[in-house]
Amino acid sequence: MDMNTACIHAGYQAGNGEPRNLPIALSTTFPYDSTEEVARLFDLTEDGFFYSRIANPTCDACEKKIAALEGGVGALLTSSGQAANLIAVLNIASAGDHIVASSTIYGGTVNLFSVTLKRFGIDVTYVSPRSTPEELAAAVRPTTRAFFGETVANPALAVLDIEKFAAAAHAAGVPLIVDNTFPTPVLCRPFEWGADIVTHSTTKYMDGQARIVGGAIVDSGRFDWAASGRYPELTEPDESYHGVVYTRDFGAAAYIVKARVQLMRDLGAYPPATNAFLLNESLETLPLRMAQHVKNARAVAAWLQGQPGIAAVHSPELESDPDHGLAEKYLPNGCCGVISFEMEGGREKAAALLDHLKLARIEVHVADSQTCVLHPASSTHRQLTDEQLAAAGVEPGLVRLSCGLESADDIIADLGQALEAVA
Ligand SMILES: *Cc1c(COP(=O)(O)O)cnc(C)c1O
């Protein structure tokens, strides 16, 4: 199935006389006739639903669709993007371990890594996405368990050189985890460039209508955990499942099966079936929506570049952008609908501009059907130190603009009247 078809049909196809739409299995549990059968489910020797904290038929169909879109062997839905990145890392890192992350990643992920994972005893080293291969190699320790980056960073819009990061990770015997939230698989499929695990905040374009917070982890099935020798949690018996060995018993799906049956079982961050139903429905229109977001972002960025009062416009799609070459390579059909710009006059001018916008609302959100704006330095990134702000590529006068699905002319007219008002 190509992308357009998979967005509609992957994961669920109605059988003869069955519901055309994915049914919502609003059920916590699934009854069985024999204790034998339930025992086999608990030993993971038989496949089947038994409790909706671990798996649910509606979620399962949506997971299969997302796995198909990314080209992975399996996916796990989570209750948020935060939970996706948490579980993606915890699945292969424990106290005493270490991860290497690109410094431009989402502020929420920086908090997760620098505050909470640190309290769990997992250390993180941040590296510039522009690091040389030698610099990336120098960040590796004997305890390193993963590299992490975002295809298109929120909100810095830096493009990850996926091949370079994958090569550095693989040379160290560890996988590359890529948060692919902004491009979605419609615009970039990180597995095709060497990434091993992909995560998503489905809250953004995948839902696309600002209805449901959610996340997903996708496993490429290509990382050789046994060959690496660094992952006893995958290659040695799990006593909580009568000695299951994930790599031996689940082969290419070892990572994603363990994430579900061990971590999701214990952490309980699984979404309800209703959310998976809505997400699955949203995914049907993802290619159409991404094309319109990209078209609008291009038109607005081009217009902003010529406006007085604008110090800089950032989008990897602009030729002036340092990541333009990377964008052409990894994102030939566009990066996403999010761009950013810097106001002359810094923090105060940026805040004043936002107060004058009418169509574009101030929202702690991006990547949905309605155009919205945010001033990161006073909101999402206010907990970061100046040094961290600089490392994340966030200037005080930076405005993040998420171009929705409205007409580009109306978005531009709104920006125009607000720029005039603050001139
Ligand atoms: C929003 C976001 C997250 C966090 O996702 P939630 O669904 O808000 O928990 C993680 N990574 C990126 C790139 C994001 O944009």
Side-chain angles (χ1 to χ4, degrees), residues 348-418:
E348 276 161 37
K349 263 282 161 54
L353 179 86
L354 262 60
D355 292 345
H356 279 90
L357 288 168
K358 296 188 173 106
L359 178 71
R361 306 296 299 275
I362 303 169
E363 283 172 29
V364 184
H365 200 242
V366 282
D368 72 69
S369 54
Q370 302 189 7
T371 294
C372 62
V373 284
L374 196 71
H375 183 211
S378 63
S379 54
T380 46
H381 284 60
R382 59 186 292 124
Q383 75 286 353
L384 299 191
T385 65
D386 282 356
E387 277 164 10
Q388 285 173 318
L389 267 189
V394 179
E395 294 292 326
L398 187 82
V399 174
R400 182 179 71 182
L401 174 66
S402 174
C403 298
L405 299 177
E406 304 95 338
S407 111
D409 290 346
D410 288 335
I411 302 170
I412 289 169
D414 188 34
L415 285 163
Q417 63 80 24

